[in-house]
Amino acid sequence: RRITLVDNGTVVFSNPVRQSLFEFQDCLGGGRPKAKAAAERLMAVFPGVEAVGETLSIPMPGHTITKGAEEAAVLAQIERLHRLVDESDVVFILTDTRESRWL
């Protein structure tokens, strides 16, 4: 039972009141990485699961990517996402942007 949670954001004060995997303490100090905080909370609620939180930026489909460092970074993120899908029983993309819903 390996669940991977993916997001590139941090927990903000509006998250705990509407998302049960976050707590107030997750917001302090600029906020914990959302995927990591959610994975840890999921394992606390259900110890029989192996949950992993990954901080990844998912590129927006159709947007131009410049050659060089930006292109290399995006390709590395996509490759990492492919590996996570192969290694996990399920991958949840936690991002809340319209563009990431294309996945």
Side-chain angles (χ1 to χ4, degrees):
R1 295 184 199 160
R2 183 180 170 93
I3 296 174
T4 300
L5 307 170
V6 176
D7 195 283
N8 70 337
T10 56
V11 182
V12 296
F13 291 104
S14 65
N15 295 137
V17 297
R18 57 190 173 83
Q19 298 168 339
S20 60
L21 291 178
F22 302 123
E23 297 178 339
F24 177 80
Q25 291 78 10
D26 296 326
C27 306
L28 302 178
R32 295 183 62 213
K34 279 185 177 179
K36 183 177 174 86
E40 289 175 7
R41 180 73 175 142
L42 182 58
M43 288 189 298
V45 171
F46 181 43
V49 71
E50 178 188 354
V52 177
E54 290 284 336
T55 300
L56 289 178
S57 294
I58 298 170
M60 296 168 50
H63 281 224
T64 303
I65 298 170
T66 58
K67 298 282 185 195
E70 182 184 12
E71 180 181 34
V74 167
L75 291 174
Q77 297 284 297
I78 291 169
E79 179 58 34
R80 180 69 184 135
L81 185 57
H82 280 279
R83 283 195 310 272
L84 291 171
V85 169
D86 290 341
E87 297 167 357
S88 304
D89 294 312
V90 64
V91 175
F92 289 99
I93 307 296
L94 305 180
T95 59
D96 53 6
T97 62
R98 174 177 37 110
E99 294 81 12
S100 66
R101 293 183 187 134
W102 287 93
L103 295 173

